[in-house]
Amino acid sequence: MNIHKNHNSISSVKVIIMSSSLSTSSLFLLSCILLVQMAMGVNPLFHFCSSSNNFTSNGPYEANLNKLMGDLYFKTPPTGFGLGSIGQYQTRASGLALCRGDVSSTDCKSCVVEASVKIRRRCPSNKAAIIWYDNCLLKYSDMDFFGKIDEQNKFYMYNLRNVSNPEYFNTQVKKLLSKLSEKAYVSPKLYATGDSVLGESKKLYGLVQCTRDLSSVDCKKCVDGAISELPSCCDGKEGGRVVGGSCNVRYEIYPFVSA
């Protein structure tokens, strides 16, 4: 597993982190944590803690945040998405959780519970944080972020293996994901998966998804923006992802979602 910032290779998937709120030392620590997680088979993809605002232990913001986490446990699994706010003014905590569109309600709940525990441990006094897993993401803040595209919290992942015909392959990736973007933004879940044929014996698989606080128009804007970033991070790679706080896109040459 390869973790990466600014193109300095450590080790078949590469991660490039895009967040203005992290220091170099924080990035190094997070990279080390991710290496350990992946070696142990634990599932978090990544997380960010806000660096600007902290809360007082056992204070009103923490109490509201704890209530919010409890609400998300119950709100998210039935539909795969939940959001809410607890408190007022400076002590108001807002958050959301999103499960991948093919994940069962049982696995969704397990992921949200796991995510809430992990993020509170890793960002114990931060008023804003986000964590991603393959099956879900969880995000909270003291700011009202609902309905706004998150341009700050983002990272990229890709397989280090190169395809033999990158120009053709890149065209097929964009074609498939653009088709899925058209499907996702008009679907109730703001989610779509699909595949396309590559040559005689191979297939290309794709996924796009948005958090459901976004409007359909903003979902498409977010997804199309993520697709446009793939050439910069994942040019000619067998697999790639742009993972953000409001949407994510992914392609692989193997199936990775439930039928």
Side-chain angles (χ1 to χ4, degrees), residues 193-224:
T193 62
D195 59 69
S196 61
V197 177
L198 290 175
E200 295 181 358
S201 58
K202 288 186 177 181
K203 277 189 173 183
L204 178 67
Y205 301 86
L207 173 152
V208 304
Q209 185 170 23
C210 298
T211 56
R212 284 179 240 162
D213 60 311
L214 294 186
S215 67
S216 293
V217 172
D218 281 342
C219 174
K220 191 170 191 308
K221 180 180 178 181
C222 186
V223 168
D224 288 347

Side-chain angles (χ1 to χ4, degrees), residues 114-148:
E114 172 73 8
S116 63
V117 171
K118 284 282 175 69
I119 197 63
R120 294 299 308 282
R121 287 177 181 170
R122 295 179 181 187
C123 308
S125 60
N126 301 88
K127 283 190 172 183
I130 183 169
I131 189 168
W132 294 267
Y133 287 68
D134 265 334
N135 281 355
C136 71
L137 76 81
L138 185 144
K139 175 182 179 182
Y140 61 83
S141 176
D142 60 325
M143 306 293 289
D144 179 12
F145 63 86
F146 299 149
K148 302 171 185 176

Side-chain angles (χ1 to χ4, degrees), residues 166-209:
E167 185 174 349
Y168 168 76
F169 186 81
N170 291 343
T171 300
Q172 296 306 305
V173 168
K174 184 176 181 181
K175 184 178 178 181
L176 173 60
L177 294 179
S178 296
K179 179 181 177 181
L180 296 180
S181 175
E182 294 289 341
K183 289 175 62 178
Y185 95 102
V186 295
S187 74
K189 286 187 173 183
L190 301 182
Y191 166 83
T193 62
D195 59 69
S196 61
V197 177
L198 290 175
E200 295 181 358
S201 58
K202 288 186 177 181
K203 277 189 173 183
L204 178 67
Y205 301 86
L207 173 152
V208 304
Q209 185 170 23

Side-chain angles (χ1 to χ4, degrees), residues 4-49:
H4 196 281
K5 178 182 181 287
N6 294 336
H7 307 288
N8 295 316
S9 178
I10 300 177
S11 126
S12 87
V13 169
K14 182 175 183 180
V15 179
I16 303 173
I17 305 119
M18 301 291 293
S19 177
S20 59
S21 63
L22 295 179
S23 66
T24 301
S25 59
S26 297
L27 288 169
F28 177 76
L29 176 59
L30 290 174
S31 295
C32 291
I33 290 170
L34 188 57
L35 278 171
V36 171
Q37 289 171 345
M38 290 175 173
M40 295 175 64
V42 182
N43 288 334
L45 298 176
F46 218 78
H47 74 277
F48 294 133
C49 307

